[in-house]
Structures are given as C-alpha cells and as structure tokens.
Amino acid sequence: MSALHPFRRGLTIPLALGVALVTTGLIPQTASAAVADPAATVNTLIGSTNSGETFPGADTPFGMVQWSPENTRGDQTRTPQPGGYDYNVTRVRGFSLTHMSGTGCAGGAGDVPFLPFPGTVSSSPTADRTDATYASNFAHANETGTAGYYRVGLDSGVNVELSATTRSGAGRFTYPTGKTASLLVRTSNSEVGSSAAQTTIDSGNRVISGSVTSGNFCGYINSIGRRSYYTLYFYAAFDKPFSGTGTWQDGTVTNGSTSSSGGTTYGTDGWPPAGKGSGGFVTFDLSQGQTVGVRVGISYVSLANAKANVDTENPAGTSFDTVRQRAHDAWNAELGRIEITGGSAAQQTTFYTALYHSLLHPNVFSDTNGQYTGMDQRVHSVSGSQHAQYANFSGWDVYRDQLQLVTLLRPDIGADIAQSLFNQASQNNGVWDRWTHNQGGTHVMTGDPGHAAVPSIYAFGGTSFDAAGALTSMVHAATTVTADDRSSTGWNVMVVGERPSLDQYLSLGYVPSNGHAWGGAGETLEDVSADFGISQLAQRLGDATTANQFLNRAQNWKNVFNPGTGYIQQRNSSGAWESFDPASDDGFAEGSAAQYTWMVPFNAKGLFTKMGGTASAITRLDRFFHNTDGSWALSNAGGTHSDLSNEPSIGAPWLYNFAGQPYKTQQTVRQVVTTLWSNGTGGIPGQDDLGAMSSWYVFAAIGVYPLAPGRAELLLSSPLFSQVVVHRGNGVTLTLRATGAATNAPYIQSLQLNGAASTRPWLPESVVRDGGTVDMTLGTTANTSWGSAAADAPPSFDTGATSANVALNKPATADSSCNTNEGPAKAVNGSVSGGNSDKWCSTGASKSWQVDLGSATAVKTITVRHAGAGGESTAWNTRDYDIQASTDGTNWTTIVQARANTANVTTHTVTVTARFLKLNILTAEQSGNNAARIYEFEAYN
C-alpha cells in the first residue's frame, strides 16, 4: 500500500549552478521548443481505472485540500476505489475535500463530501443506502481533469467545477433552471466512516461549518486499525443566500434545523454500517443567477484555523477563475522544474502527469499560522528553519524514489518532510511509524522506512533540518527493543512494532520466520536498507562509529541468503531454512522470493558474488525479465519473474549497470516505460502509492535513478526526450540533451561528463550537489562494450564480513545464578523475548560469566544487552564491566573496559582472536545494587 496492496496483486523545484546531462544522437533531430505550459498537458484521469487508484480532482502541489469526486456502485458504505474514483464507475455521490493517491488500502480520507443536488431533500440521505436518490450519473464526455482544476457536468443538470489553494477549495456549482438548488454536506461520510461528526448552518453569514473525527485506514483488514486519530474541521462560505436549511441523523431528516451530530461508527468489521451518519443541507436563493460559489477551508487543529486558512488563501471576493489560474500557475512552477524538449504529445502528457502525481504527497499539514496537531494529539507550531509540517507518509513505497525526486526538485520541501518525520517520531514516544496518516500512526506495511527516507533526503540536499537529532532518534529506535517489537498485534499488514522482532534481528542477525514480522526474510531486507540509510547519515554527520556499526548491520541480508538455493529465503530462529519455492510470497510482503532477492541496492556486487559471480547474476536477471520463449515478463508473469507494477521489483532493471551490461538496463527500462505506462486511464501499471510508482517513471523517462537509500549517485539508462533541464530549488541546474531520442533510440553509444569521456553507467553525487554536463550519444543498436569494464560499475557498500554471532548457543558458565531458570546459557540463546527470566542473573561475589566459542575465532564486534533491553528497569542496566579474551581459558587479556554505562544495549568494536570470552561485572546496577542482569552476550566475526 503504500500502500498496501492486498487488492493489488498481480500485480516523483528549482536548482542553480550548471549541470547538463547531454545526449547527442547518431541521427540529427529538428530542434524544438521546450514544453511551455506543462500544467496544461496534465490529464488527472490517467491512472483512474482500478490499477493506479488515483483521484482526478483539484489540488495544488503538496496541498492539504484534494477536492475530488466520490463515485458509487450503489453502496453508500463503499467507494469503488480507495481514491474515491474509478473511471469505469460513472455515478457520483459527492465531492470530498481530502484524498490520497493510489493507496491500495481504503480509508484514505475522503472527508466531508459535498453534493449539489437539483431537488428537494425530502428524506434522510443516510437512508439512501444504495445511492439511488442523492447521487447522479455522468458521462466522461462532460468531464475534465487537469492540474488544479476538475469539472463534470452531471446528468442531474448540475455543472460542477472545483479548484484549490494549499489549504482551501474553491467550488462553482451551476444549477439547472426551474429546479430547487440544494446542497448536501455529508459530514460523517469519510471513506471508511467516522466516530463523530458535527454540522452547523449559519444562514445569516451563508456558512456551513463543522468537523469529522475519523481514521480507520485499513481498519477492515485488522481491528488494530479501527480507531479514530484525527479531526478535520471545515468552514464553507457561499456567495448566495440560503432559502432553506435542514439536517439529518441516521434515518431522520429535520427540515429547518441548523445543526446535527453523529458519526457512522466503524461497524463490527471496519466498514461503516449502512444507515448511520449525519450531515446538513441548504437550498439556495438563485434569484441573482444559477451559479453558486463556495470557498471552503480545512484544518486539523480548529474551526477558527479552518476559517483563517480560507480567509488567508482565498479571501472573500476572490473569483473562482482567479483561484483556478493561481492553481495552474502553482503547478507550472513545480512541473516546470523539469523542462523537457521533444517526445510525442502522448509522451509529454504521460510524463507531466506522472510528475504531477509525484508531487501530490506528502501533504502540507500545518495551518497558515504554523499550527498543526501532532501524533501526541497536542497542538504544535513549526519553528526554526521548518516552513511547514507535512503528513501522509507512505513509507514502504516512497523511500525508494519519490522523496529523492521531491528533494532533487525542492531541497527545502525535502528538508521540511524530514523534519516532519522526526517531529512525528518525537511526538510518538520515539517510534518512527512506517505509514502515517494525518497525525495518526497506522503501522501499515513492513520495514523501517523512515530510517531509509531521512538519510536519502539529506543526501539529495535537503539538509536544513535537525539531522543530528533525527540520527540520535533513529539509532535509539534501531537498537532499543520495545514491547511492541516483541508483539504480533496487527499481524500481518499492520504489525505494531517499528521493527518487529528487533530483539531477534539484533541477536540472530536476521528476522526469523517464527518472529513477529510480516515475513521474516522480506523484513530483514527492509531492515538492512534502513540500517544502511542510518550508516550513511551518520557518515555525513561525522559519526564514524555509528556509521561503521550500521554498515556492518546492513550486511545482515547475507544471513537470509541461502547458498543452497541462491535466493533470499526464510529461516527460523534455530537457523534452519524453511521449505522453499522461489515463486512463493512466504516470508515476503507483496512479492516473491525471486522478486525480493534483488532488493539489496547498496551492495549489488556482494549479491552477485553470493549468486556465484557476475555471469550467473546476468543469466538470472535475463530469466527474471523474460519468459522462456524470450518474450518480456515485466508484470503479471508469475512469482519467478519481475513485477514492475509493484515496489519490490522496481530497482531490478538498473542492476545490469553493476554487471557490465548497462545496455540491458537501457533496453529493459525503455520497454517498461513504453509498454506498461501510457497516457490512458489505465496508464499506471499498479497502485501509484502516493507517487512512488509515478516517481519511478519520471526518473526512468529522464534516464536516471537513485542508487540506494542514503546515497545520491544516479544510475543511468537513457532519456526519452531530446533535452531535459532540471531546475533545482537551490539554484543548481541539470541539463540532459539526447539527439538520438527523437528516434526512440534507447542505447548509449558514448558519454561525456563535464566534457570528459566516461564509460561509467552512473553519475557521482557531485552531479546532484553541484550540477554538471552529461553528453550522451544514443543509438538503436546496443553498444555492448560501453560500461562493460568492472571498474565502470557503480559503487557497492560492503564490509567483507558475514556478521555472524559466533557466541550463539555456545557453552556458557558463570559464578552463580539468581535462579535456576536464569542460568548462563540464557545469555547466548539468541532471544530476549522469553520474559524477564530470559537472561543470566547473578548476585554472586564476582559476577563473572564466560562463553566457549569452541575454537579460536576472529571477533570484531561484541554486543551486550542489559536489563532495559529485556523490558526491565533501565536503572538495572549494568554500570561498570570488563570483557576479557583468552585462547586457552587460563591467560586473559582485557579487551573492553566499560564504565558509567546507562544504555540498554552496548556495542564494542574489538579486534581479537579468542576461544573464550569473559564478562566481569564490577558495578551491577546504576544505584550500586547487587543484581547483574545480562539478556544477551553476542560476539560477531
């Protein structure tokens, strides 16, 4: 989903300095002008069939308001798709103020639907369970969706036009003559219901206002999600007087009433029950014309802020056409940051619509006065260098490319997003929730994507946030086991722990099949990407110790690579491999073993080595992208083949660059771009996942792609367009020119970087940072020698170590134990999840413990897990201790002296060869009390 894809299966601003990525082709092209009005090329209906799950309504870049239709198949409790809209469903029951694009999982807002209705409201709209009365058909011939503007002529005779500012919507409803002009506000009817709603009608001021309390994202999948976590306030001011009012609650309508309340509830299964809910309606005096204008502001803080938002951004007297033009201009400012020349009209529309979808989320969440509601449900204000708080973070999806694209174009917005994520974690007891919706954590999907996302933002130049504070928070979360990490609550889609089975990951070096994650093998791969991200941010901030620690941890993917099968694979906590089918999703979220095995973007060289070498990896990549008859297998081709409609596969086409055959990356990426993507309503091959898939397309169409989380190298394919100029928000300019692109030539023949010939199929981070000029020559025939040398390959990041815990389950002895069930073996059993007795405890005089590794063994790192790591009081963490090493058990050398420790987990870098390791505890507790508690003693080679 980003967004969950339980329904998916089958299945990314100004710059300065000068950078030009230039491509000169074999065949001369006729010079043409850059697209002058990119916003006009956008078709918001692309992706609106049941694949992309996008919404077609009015929005501004990263806007808080997304005013878009809610379609119906005749069930008031369901929308046809999570974005509220399905192109194949031509009946509408309202136009809601908030949406998310391509979430896969229902529950993405859909707050406060407005329905202009040409008739008298004589019964409760909530009683209209099949949407037979208070809804209207429409035809696509009467529908337009473009950047910042949506229009539909309803069969009821009403013409609906919508536009937006960042925090407000502008509506223009033209009613047919001779009919009552009513407007329904279905306040309680968020996409998957509400727990409370309130509506107030103020006839004197021509205002309808109120609030809805909702949440429940994916709640029908697991009961852990069936809760409210945000309240949206709205303030709608109309330019025509009301000639009548009314409200409803459940099945009762009350004419003349001006207030109502009552949510839908979430039923017993996470879906709102039919016949529940409340709202209000008005009829308009149309004596001065058939058109009604409305200005509506929203806020997640207060009604006063909702009013202030609309009064600031769309004050009284502002015409609808002015708002529409400003929205169009705002989109041109952002879309124009990537200036393209060449390509067909269809390619230009596909490209700019993908870029449009890439810039919808995350959303501005703070009000014009800087206030926002945090994850602690308290009101906060942005401060320091932060301009706005952002919300709606589809972590599992967007960490791969969308946030890199946003930050490439707008480093300032990227930095604000990073600060927003850190703010959320700080307000959430230090937990970086992987899928946040407004101010709520939903826990949806897998991994720890915030730890991959923030370092990527920093690498791409979004540095004006509290990076040091964020790093400290991330390290703490990645090393401190919580009760939620040891819980299966919410399994599988919504597991509550930030890092499920973190205790086992830390002790075993992988997440086992019998842990708490949604697939241990896939969770391990997600965790290592997060660890790699932390290592890179630490390195950039000058923290070499943390950088080395987490780079070592990032190699834990090797612990779930089975050399016997050649795949990433499930294994249990005892180390045994599970039964295996490479086409199966056992152990993985929304993908198979064959698809996930390639997901080690920071160490492709190490992966190829594990596979038996580069030649073997190439053969496997060829089989991955092709059927046995040689035809392409890019989507819906089975678990042994790629699925370029979903995130686990989207990095794989770029791996040929590491294998000496970059021409196959160029060929494969071009095939995906030209066959799976189009300018049709089904033109997005899978759920768009808040812009993650569209960002992949944007990068692919301009011929570059981010190497790995926390890095800003760009892998190369070839651009679709004869010229691409990227105007970064920090003043840097990147220019790509491709003369051969006019003939759709996909293959790089030669390349120059800043005037110097290069055979490297990747660009260094300096190109993103400083700008540069790249000249490519493209052709229709592959140049198999270009980029083929081993020295040409993009960087891989390895430590050369397997990071195995060589103390695991080895014989251990001690001076004493507090209880028989707290013996020395408990400190090397690979677990801290067995309760407070899953430790070695001693109150003896010497408090000495040792382990026999069996033979002389190289040890590089020792990790000790103290009382707090097992869920006990941190005041009981070991304060002072020594670690000694011996080859014979008689002669000992002290290799660690730890003093005044307070941490739950301590890690010590050592260089020693030993058979025996001894832990001598000098001061057992912070207070000087007498009980030593060691949950795990781990030694890594």
Side-chain angles (χ1 to χ4, degrees), residues 72-77 91-93 115 117 123-137 156 184 186:
T72 177
R73 288 192 175 100
D75 181 347
Q76 67 172 227
T77 69
R91 188 168 178 80
V92 64
R93 69 187 309 269
L115 178 70
F117 176 70
S123 60
S124 170
T126 299
D128 184 23
R129 299 186 179 202
T130 62
D131 293 326
T133 302
Y134 299 109
S136 176
N137 293 337
S156 68
L184 285 64
R186 304 180 188 265

PDB file of all heavy atoms in Angstrom, residues 72-77 91-93 115 117 123-137 156 184 186:
ATOM      1  N   THR A  72     -19.863   5.884  -6.829  1.00  0.00           N
ATOM      2  CA  THR A  72     -20.604   4.837  -6.125  1.00  0.00           C
ATOM      3  C   THR A  72     -21.086   3.773  -7.090  1.00  0.00           C
ATOM      4  O   THR A  72     -21.482   4.080  -8.221  1.00  0.00           O
ATOM      5  CB  THR A  72     -21.809   5.426  -5.371  1.00  0.00           C
ATOM      6  OG1 THR A  72     -22.544   4.351  -4.759  1.00  0.00           O
ATOM      7  CG2 THR A  72     -22.737   6.219  -6.280  1.00  0.00           C
ATOM      8  N   ARG A  73     -21.034   2.543  -6.629  1.00  0.00           N
ATOM      9  CA  ARG A  73     -21.640   1.427  -7.347  1.00  0.00           C
ATOM     10  C   ARG A  73     -22.986   1.045  -6.728  1.00  0.00           C
ATOM     11  O   ARG A  73     -23.512  -0.018  -7.006  1.00  0.00           O
ATOM     12  CB  ARG A  73     -20.717   0.210  -7.323  1.00  0.00           C
ATOM     13  CG  ARG A  73     -19.484   0.326  -8.206  1.00  0.00           C
ATOM     14  CD  ARG A  73     -18.807  -1.040  -8.346  1.00  0.00           C
ATOM     15  NE  ARG A  73     -17.693  -1.008  -9.261  1.00  0.00           N
ATOM     16  CZ  ARG A  73     -16.422  -0.925  -8.903  1.00  0.00           C
ATOM     17  NH1 ARG A  73     -16.119  -0.846  -7.616  1.00  0.00           N
ATOM     18  NH2 ARG A  73     -15.457  -0.911  -9.800  1.00  0.00           N
ATOM     19  N   GLY A  74     -23.510   1.908  -5.881  1.00  0.00           N
ATOM     20  CA  GLY A  74     -24.799   1.631  -5.265  1.00  0.00           C
ATOM     21  C   GLY A  74     -24.696   1.145  -3.840  1.00  0.00           C
ATOM     22  O   GLY A  74     -25.650   0.544  -3.325  1.00  0.00           O
ATOM     23  N   ASP A  75     -23.565   1.392  -3.200  1.00  0.00           N
ATOM     24  CA  ASP A  75     -23.392   1.016  -1.797  1.00  0.00           C
ATOM     25  C   ASP A  75     -22.809   2.218  -1.084  1.00  0.00           C
ATOM     26  O   ASP A  75     -21.656   2.599  -1.310  1.00  0.00           O
ATOM     27  CB  ASP A  75     -22.456  -0.187  -1.682  1.00  0.00           C
ATOM     28  CG  ASP A  75     -22.254  -0.653  -0.246  1.00  0.00           C
ATOM     29  OD1 ASP A  75     -22.628   0.077   0.695  1.00  0.00           O
ATOM     30  OD2 ASP A  75     -21.684  -1.749  -0.062  1.00  0.00           O
ATOM     31  N   GLN A  76     -23.598   2.840  -0.203  1.00  0.00           N
ATOM     32  CA  GLN A  76     -23.153   4.057   0.450  1.00  0.00           C
ATOM     33  C   GLN A  76     -21.966   3.844   1.382  1.00  0.00           C
ATOM     34  O   GLN A  76     -21.310   4.807   1.784  1.00  0.00           O
ATOM     35  CB  GLN A  76     -24.287   4.700   1.249  1.00  0.00           C
ATOM     36  CG  GLN A  76     -24.738   3.898   2.454  1.00  0.00           C
ATOM     37  CD  GLN A  76     -25.725   4.641   3.325  1.00  0.00           C
ATOM     38  OE1 GLN A  76     -25.567   4.672   4.524  1.00  0.00           O
ATOM     39  NE2 GLN A  76     -26.744   5.239   2.732  1.00  0.00           N
ATOM     40  N   THR A  77     -21.641   2.619   1.725  1.00  0.00           N
ATOM     41  CA  THR A  77     -20.530   2.347   2.650  1.00  0.00           C
ATOM     42  C   THR A  77     -19.227   2.026   1.928  1.00  0.00           C
ATOM     43  O   THR A  77     -18.217   1.754   2.580  1.00  0.00           O
ATOM     44  CB  THR A  77     -20.875   1.170   3.568  1.00  0.00           C
ATOM     45  OG1 THR A  77     -20.916  -0.042   2.795  1.00  0.00           O
ATOM     46  CG2 THR A  77     -22.222   1.386   4.245  1.00  0.00           C
ATOM     47  N   ARG A  91     -21.144   7.138 -11.696  1.00  0.00           N
ATOM     48  CA  ARG A  91     -22.168   7.695 -10.808  1.00  0.00           C
ATOM     49  C   ARG A  91     -21.448   8.296  -9.610  1.00  0.00           C
ATOM     50  O   ARG A  91     -20.525   7.682  -9.053  1.00  0.00           O
ATOM     51  CB  ARG A  91     -23.168   6.632 -10.360  1.00  0.00           C
ATOM     52  CG  ARG A  91     -24.369   7.200  -9.576  1.00  0.00           C
ATOM     53  CD  ARG A  91     -25.472   6.163  -9.420  1.00  0.00           C
ATOM     54  NE  ARG A  91     -26.614   6.667  -8.644  1.00  0.00           N
ATOM     55  CZ  ARG A  91     -27.575   7.440  -9.130  1.00  0.00           C
ATOM     56  NH1 ARG A  91     -27.550   7.806 -10.411  1.00  0.00           N
ATOM     57  NH2 ARG A  91     -28.573   7.857  -8.374  1.00  0.00           N
ATOM     58  N   VAL A  92     -21.835   9.514  -9.212  1.00  0.00           N
ATOM     59  CA  VAL A  92     -21.133  10.233  -8.161  1.00  0.00           C
ATOM     60  C   VAL A  92     -22.102  10.589  -7.045  1.00  0.00           C
ATOM     61  O   VAL A  92     -23.253  10.958  -7.303  1.00  0.00           O
ATOM     62  CB  VAL A  92     -20.439  11.500  -8.732  1.00  0.00           C
ATOM     63  CG1 VAL A  92     -21.442  12.499  -9.273  1.00  0.00           C
ATOM     64  CG2 VAL A  92     -19.535  12.146  -7.703  1.00  0.00           C
ATOM     65  N   ARG A  93     -21.648  10.426  -5.788  1.00  0.00           N
ATOM     66  CA  ARG A  93     -22.481  10.727  -4.622  1.00  0.00           C
ATOM     67  C   ARG A  93     -21.982  11.940  -3.846  1.00  0.00           C
ATOM     68  O   ARG A  93     -22.569  12.321  -2.836  1.00  0.00           O
ATOM     69  CB  ARG A  93     -22.558   9.522  -3.691  1.00  0.00           C
ATOM     70  CG  ARG A  93     -21.269   9.183  -2.987  1.00  0.00           C
ATOM     71  CD  ARG A  93     -21.347   7.871  -2.212  1.00  0.00           C
ATOM     72  NE  ARG A  93     -22.490   7.790  -1.340  1.00  0.00           N
ATOM     73  CZ  ARG A  93     -22.505   8.174  -0.069  1.00  0.00           C
ATOM     74  NH1 ARG A  93     -21.427   8.733   0.453  1.00  0.00           N
ATOM     75  NH2 ARG A  93     -23.577   8.021   0.663  1.00  0.00           N
ATOM     76  N   LEU A 115     -22.460  17.545  -2.106  1.00  0.00           N
ATOM     77  CA  LEU A 115     -23.217  17.137  -3.288  1.00  0.00           C
ATOM     78  C   LEU A 115     -24.215  18.218  -3.669  1.00  0.00           C
ATOM     79  O   LEU A 115     -25.209  18.430  -2.958  1.00  0.00           O
ATOM     80  CB  LEU A 115     -23.963  15.825  -3.056  1.00  0.00           C
ATOM     81  CG  LEU A 115     -24.806  15.380  -4.260  1.00  0.00           C
ATOM     82  CD1 LEU A 115     -23.905  14.941  -5.412  1.00  0.00           C
ATOM     83  CD2 LEU A 115     -25.783  14.268  -3.884  1.00  0.00           C
ATOM     84  N   PHE A 117     -27.367  19.236  -5.451  1.00  0.00           N
ATOM     85  CA  PHE A 117     -28.496  18.362  -5.781  1.00  0.00           C
ATOM     86  C   PHE A 117     -29.661  19.218  -6.272  1.00  0.00           C
ATOM     87  O   PHE A 117     -30.143  20.084  -5.527  1.00  0.00           O
ATOM     88  CB  PHE A 117     -28.902  17.553  -4.545  1.00  0.00           C
ATOM     89  CG  PHE A 117     -30.111  16.695  -4.739  1.00  0.00           C
ATOM     90  CD1 PHE A 117     -30.054  15.575  -5.552  1.00  0.00           C
ATOM     91  CD2 PHE A 117     -31.317  16.990  -4.103  1.00  0.00           C
ATOM     92  CE1 PHE A 117     -31.183  14.766  -5.730  1.00  0.00           C
ATOM     93  CE2 PHE A 117     -32.437  16.199  -4.269  1.00  0.00           C
ATOM     94  CZ  PHE A 117     -32.360  15.079  -5.086  1.00  0.00           C
ATOM     95  N   SER A 123     -36.007  13.236   2.307  1.00  0.00           N
ATOM     96  CA  SER A 123     -35.707  12.065   3.135  1.00  0.00           C
ATOM     97  C   SER A 123     -34.248  12.139   3.537  1.00  0.00           C
ATOM     98  O   SER A 123     -33.447  12.867   2.936  1.00  0.00           O
ATOM     99  CB  SER A 123     -35.980  10.768   2.364  1.00  0.00           C
ATOM    100  OG  SER A 123     -35.167  10.707   1.196  1.00  0.00           O
ATOM    101  N   SER A 124     -33.881  11.360   4.536  1.00  0.00           N
ATOM    102  CA  SER A 124     -32.504  11.387   5.004  1.00  0.00           C
ATOM    103  C   SER A 124     -31.564  10.791   3.961  1.00  0.00           C
ATOM    104  O   SER A 124     -31.777   9.656   3.515  1.00  0.00           O
ATOM    105  CB  SER A 124     -32.369  10.584   6.302  1.00  0.00           C
ATOM    106  OG  SER A 124     -30.993  10.421   6.628  1.00  0.00           O
ATOM    107  N   PRO A 125     -30.515  11.536   3.571  1.00  0.00           N
ATOM    108  CA  PRO A 125     -29.537  10.939   2.652  1.00  0.00           C
ATOM    109  C   PRO A 125     -28.908   9.670   3.205  1.00  0.00           C
ATOM    110  O   PRO A 125     -28.519   8.781   2.440  1.00  0.00           O
ATOM    111  CB  PRO A 125     -28.511  12.064   2.476  1.00  0.00           C
ATOM    112  CG  PRO A 125     -29.300  13.314   2.673  1.00  0.00           C
ATOM    113  CD  PRO A 125     -30.263  12.970   3.774  1.00  0.00           C
ATOM    114  N   THR A 126     -28.809   9.552   4.527  1.00  0.00           N
ATOM    115  CA  THR A 126     -28.243   8.335   5.108  1.00  0.00           C
ATOM    116  C   THR A 126     -29.157   7.138   4.901  1.00  0.00           C
ATOM    117  O   THR A 126     -28.694   5.995   4.867  1.00  0.00           O
ATOM    118  CB  THR A 126     -27.958   8.557   6.602  1.00  0.00           C
ATOM    119  OG1 THR A 126     -27.017   9.620   6.737  1.00  0.00           O
ATOM    120  CG2 THR A 126     -27.371   7.319   7.245  1.00  0.00           C
ATOM    121  N   ALA A 127     -30.446   7.394   4.745  1.00  0.00           N
ATOM    122  CA  ALA A 127     -31.370   6.296   4.466  1.00  0.00           C
ATOM    123  C   ALA A 127     -31.295   5.831   3.023  1.00  0.00           C
ATOM    124  O   ALA A 127     -31.844   4.770   2.685  1.00  0.00           O
ATOM    125  CB  ALA A 127     -32.800   6.733   4.800  1.00  0.00           C
ATOM    126  N   ASP A 128     -30.617   6.602   2.186  1.00  0.00           N
ATOM    127  CA  ASP A 128     -30.461   6.259   0.764  1.00  0.00           C
ATOM    128  C   ASP A 128     -29.287   5.297   0.608  1.00  0.00           C
ATOM    129  O   ASP A 128     -28.228   5.630   0.087  1.00  0.00           O
ATOM    130  CB  ASP A 128     -30.243   7.544  -0.034  1.00  0.00           C
ATOM    131  CG  ASP A 128     -30.171   7.314  -1.538  1.00  0.00           C
ATOM    132  OD1 ASP A 128     -30.709   6.294  -2.012  1.00  0.00           O
ATOM    133  OD2 ASP A 128     -29.575   8.169  -2.227  1.00  0.00           O
ATOM    134  N   ARG A 129     -29.487   4.074   1.080  1.00  0.00           N
ATOM    135  CA  ARG A 129     -28.373   3.132   1.215  1.00  0.00           C
ATOM    136  C   ARG A 129     -27.764   2.703  -0.100  1.00  0.00           C
ATOM    137  O   ARG A 129     -26.607   2.309  -0.151  1.00  0.00           O
ATOM    138  CB  ARG A 129     -28.847   1.905   2.000  1.00  0.00           C
ATOM    139  CG  ARG A 129     -29.329   2.240   3.398  1.00  0.00           C
ATOM    140  CD  ARG A 129     -29.643   0.991   4.193  1.00  0.00           C
ATOM    141  NE  ARG A 129     -30.091   1.323   5.553  1.00  0.00           N
ATOM    142  CZ  ARG A 129     -30.032   0.479   6.569  1.00  0.00           C
ATOM    143  NH1 ARG A 129     -29.570  -0.752   6.386  1.00  0.00           N
ATOM    144  NH2 ARG A 129     -30.448   0.843   7.762  1.00  0.00           N
ATOM    145  N   THR A 130     -28.509   2.760  -1.175  1.00  0.00           N
ATOM    146  CA  THR A 130     -27.985   2.349  -2.484  1.00  0.00           C
ATOM    147  C   THR A 130     -27.641   3.534  -3.369  1.00  0.00           C
ATOM    148  O   THR A 130     -27.364   3.358  -4.555  1.00  0.00           O
ATOM    149  CB  THR A 130     -28.995   1.450  -3.202  1.00  0.00           C
ATOM    150  OG1 THR A 130     -30.197   2.191  -3.436  1.00  0.00           O
ATOM    151  CG2 THR A 130     -29.313   0.205  -2.383  1.00  0.00           C
ATOM    152  N   ASP A 131     -27.640   4.709  -2.803  1.00  0.00           N
ATOM    153  CA  ASP A 131     -27.346   5.931  -3.564  1.00  0.00           C
ATOM    154  C   ASP A 131     -28.233   6.053  -4.793  1.00  0.00           C
ATOM    155  O   ASP A 131     -27.802   6.483  -5.873  1.00  0.00           O
ATOM    156  CB  ASP A 131     -25.865   5.973  -3.977  1.00  0.00           C
ATOM    157  CG  ASP A 131     -24.940   6.131  -2.783  1.00  0.00           C
ATOM    158  OD1 ASP A 131     -25.334   6.819  -1.823  1.00  0.00           O
ATOM    159  OD2 ASP A 131     -23.837   5.565  -2.802  1.00  0.00           O
ATOM    160  N   ALA A 132     -29.477   5.685  -4.605  1.00  0.00           N
ATOM    161  CA  ALA A 132     -30.426   5.749  -5.715  1.00  0.00           C
ATOM    162  C   ALA A 132     -30.965   7.155  -5.925  1.00  0.00           C
ATOM    163  O   ALA A 132     -31.306   7.541  -7.051  1.00  0.00           O
ATOM    164  CB  ALA A 132     -31.589   4.792  -5.464  1.00  0.00           C
ATOM    165  N   THR A 133     -31.061   7.946  -4.841  1.00  0.00           N
ATOM    166  CA  THR A 133     -31.687   9.270  -4.925  1.00  0.00           C
ATOM    167  C   THR A 133     -30.657  10.386  -4.910  1.00  0.00           C
ATOM    168  O   THR A 133     -30.633  11.238  -5.806  1.00  0.00           O
ATOM    169  CB  THR A 133     -32.667   9.452  -3.752  1.00  0.00           C
ATOM    170  OG1 THR A 133     -33.648   8.418  -3.802  1.00  0.00           O
ATOM    171  CG2 THR A 133     -33.348  10.813  -3.822  1.00  0.00           C
ATOM    172  N   TYR A 134     -29.820  10.396  -3.900  1.00  0.00           N
ATOM    173  CA  TYR A 134     -28.882  11.511  -3.719  1.00  0.00           C
ATOM    174  C   TYR A 134     -27.533  11.193  -4.363  1.00  0.00           C
ATOM    175  O   TYR A 134     -26.491  11.065  -3.708  1.00  0.00           O
ATOM    176  CB  TYR A 134     -28.742  11.828  -2.240  1.00  0.00           C
ATOM    177  CG  TYR A 134     -30.066  12.240  -1.622  1.00  0.00           C
ATOM    178  CD1 TYR A 134     -30.735  11.396  -0.730  1.00  0.00           C
ATOM    179  CD2 TYR A 134     -30.659  13.461  -1.943  1.00  0.00           C
ATOM    180  CE1 TYR A 134     -31.952  11.759  -0.172  1.00  0.00           C
ATOM    181  CE2 TYR A 134     -31.879  13.835  -1.396  1.00  0.00           C
ATOM    182  CZ  TYR A 134     -32.519  12.974  -0.516  1.00  0.00           C
ATOM    183  OH  TYR A 134     -33.719  13.350   0.021  1.00  0.00           O
ATOM    184  N   ALA A 135     -27.559  11.044  -5.645  1.00  0.00           N
ATOM    185  CA  ALA A 135     -26.380  10.779  -6.462  1.00  0.00           C
ATOM    186  C   ALA A 135     -26.778  11.054  -7.902  1.00  0.00           C
ATOM    187  O   ALA A 135     -27.957  11.222  -8.209  1.00  0.00           O
ATOM    188  CB  ALA A 135     -25.896   9.339  -6.297  1.00  0.00           C
ATOM    189  N   SER A 136     -25.809  11.120  -8.789  1.00  0.00           N
ATOM    190  CA  SER A 136     -26.110  11.391 -10.189  1.00  0.00           C
ATOM    191  C   SER A 136     -25.139  10.660 -11.090  1.00  0.00           C
ATOM    192  O   SER A 136     -23.944  10.537 -10.779  1.00  0.00           O
ATOM    193  CB  SER A 136     -26.024  12.895 -10.479  1.00  0.00           C
ATOM    194  OG  SER A 136     -26.218  13.158 -11.865  1.00  0.00           O
ATOM    195  N   ASN A 137     -25.645  10.212 -12.232  1.00  0.00           N
ATOM    196  CA  ASN A 137     -24.780   9.680 -13.270  1.00  0.00           C
ATOM    197  C   ASN A 137     -24.082  10.830 -13.995  1.00  0.00           C
ATOM    198  O   ASN A 137     -24.471  12.003 -13.877  1.00  0.00           O
ATOM    199  CB  ASN A 137     -25.591   8.862 -14.270  1.00  0.00           C
ATOM    200  CG  ASN A 137     -26.152   7.591 -13.659  1.00  0.00           C
ATOM    201  OD1 ASN A 137     -25.632   7.080 -12.672  1.00  0.00           O
ATOM    202  ND2 ASN A 137     -27.227   7.083 -14.239  1.00  0.00           N
ATOM    203  N   SER A 156     -27.794  15.088 -13.692  1.00  0.00           N
ATOM    204  CA  SER A 156     -28.838  15.790 -12.951  1.00  0.00           C
ATOM    205  C   SER A 156     -29.048  17.209 -13.452  1.00  0.00           C
ATOM    206  O   SER A 156     -30.032  17.860 -13.101  1.00  0.00           O
ATOM    207  CB  SER A 156     -28.492  15.834 -11.462  1.00  0.00           C
ATOM    208  OG  SER A 156     -27.351  16.658 -11.238  1.00  0.00           O
ATOM    209  N   LEU A 184     -25.978  19.183  -0.318  1.00  0.00           N
ATOM    210  CA  LEU A 184     -25.810  18.283   0.822  1.00  0.00           C
ATOM    211  C   LEU A 184     -24.363  18.284   1.265  1.00  0.00           C
ATOM    212  O   LEU A 184     -23.450  18.232   0.440  1.00  0.00           O
ATOM    213  CB  LEU A 184     -26.198  16.852   0.453  1.00  0.00           C
ATOM    214  CG  LEU A 184     -27.668  16.469   0.320  1.00  0.00           C
ATOM    215  CD1 LEU A 184     -28.349  17.216  -0.825  1.00  0.00           C
ATOM    216  CD2 LEU A 184     -27.778  14.953   0.094  1.00  0.00           C
ATOM    217  N   ARG A 186     -22.299  15.820   3.494  1.00  0.00           N
ATOM    218  CA  ARG A 186     -22.335  14.515   4.173  1.00  0.00           C
ATOM    219  C   ARG A 186     -21.180  14.459   5.179  1.00  0.00           C
ATOM    220  O   ARG A 186     -20.203  13.720   5.007  1.00  0.00           O
ATOM    221  CB  ARG A 186     -22.213  13.384   3.163  1.00  0.00           C
ATOM    222  CG  ARG A 186     -23.264  13.376   2.043  1.00  0.00           C
ATOM    223  CD  ARG A 186     -22.980  12.186   1.132  1.00  0.00           C
ATOM    224  NE  ARG A 186     -23.784  12.140  -0.073  1.00  0.00           N
ATOM    225  CZ  ARG A 186     -24.917  11.444  -0.210  1.00  0.00           C
ATOM    226  NH1 ARG A 186     -25.395  10.770   0.819  1.00  0.00           N
ATOM    227  NH2 ARG A 186     -25.560  11.428  -1.355  1.00  0.00           N
TER     228      ARG A 186
END
